[in-house]
Amino acid sequence: YNHIVTEFQQSIIDYYNQPVSQLPNVQYFADKLGLTANYLGDIVKHFTKKSALENIHDYVIKRAKELLLENKKMNTTEVAYELGFEYPNYFSKFFKKQVNLTPKEFRLQAIGNI
């Protein structure tokens, strides 16, 4: 079962290594792996202690942080679209909920300007 978790995590990375048009969901990865969303979710939860959706969100936040730090010229809206968010303000709320800082605050803090 561990290989399923590895394939799931690799699928998330692969998804973001191409241009994206929307946020992926658990069903997308389950279809890719030939599993039901519930089955994939159960296996992922068992091995990572987090739901499949939490794993996806963790990766999205990791990528967001990378984009915010590596691409200083990209504004928050561009980062949001790059990650597949349809609405930039939803990205900002999502980021703030996960990190306790807005994307702008995160970037400024990381640069050391706060």
Side-chain angles (χ1 to χ4, degrees), residues 47-91:
F47 283 98
T48 68
K49 305 295 183 237
K50 290 184 174 183
S51 72
L53 190 60
E54 286 172 310
N55 275 269
I56 294 168
H57 287 173
D58 285 351
Y59 188 79
V60 170
I61 289 296
K62 179 177 169 267
R63 278 294 287 140
K65 287 177 175 180
E66 289 169 3
L67 290 170
L68 288 165
L69 298 179
E70 292 167 11
N71 302 310
K72 305 274 190 288
K73 289 186 174 72
M74 278 180 102
N75 63 33
T76 303
T77 299
E78 291 167 322
V79 171
Y81 289 139
E82 180 83 12
L83 294 170
F85 284 84
E86 195 173 345
Y87 304 105
N89 56 339
Y90 175 69
F91 164 68

Side-chain angles (χ1 to χ4, degrees), residues 6-113:
T6 304
E7 287 176 33
F8 168 64
Q9 290 170 333
Q10 186 59 50
S11 292
I12 298 171
I13 294 166
D14 293 346
Y15 183 86
Y16 278 103
N17 281 338
Q18 61 189 354
V20 300
S21 58
Q22 63 185 48
L23 277 175
N25 58 25
V26 177
Q27 187 65 57
Y28 171 85
F29 294 111
D31 291 345
K32 222 164 169 40
L33 298 171
L35 305 167
T36 66
N38 285 343
Y39 186 62
L40 174 62
D42 289 347
I43 292 170
V44 169
K45 180 104 177 170
H46 177 78
F47 283 98
T48 68
K49 305 295 183 237
K50 290 184 174 183
S51 72
L53 190 60
E54 286 172 310
N55 275 269
I56 294 168
H57 287 173
D58 285 351
Y59 188 79
V60 170
I61 289 296
K62 179 177 169 267
R63 278 294 287 140
K65 287 177 175 180
E66 289 169 3
L67 290 170
L68 288 165
L69 298 179
E70 292 167 11
N71 302 310
K72 305 274 190 288
K73 289 186 174 72
M74 278 180 102
N75 63 33
T76 303
T77 299
E78 291 167 322
V79 171
Y81 289 139
E82 180 83 12
L83 294 170
F85 284 84
E86 195 173 345
Y87 304 105
N89 56 339
Y90 175 69
F91 164 68
S92 292
K93 285 180 186 167
F94 171 80
F95 191 92
K96 174 128 178 136
K97 186 176 176 195
Q98 303 282 328
V99 184
N100 290 326
L101 295 169
T102 66
K104 187 175 183 177
E105 289 167 346
F106 172 79
R107 182 181 262 166
L108 289 171
Q109 191 177 70
I111 297 169
N113 290 345

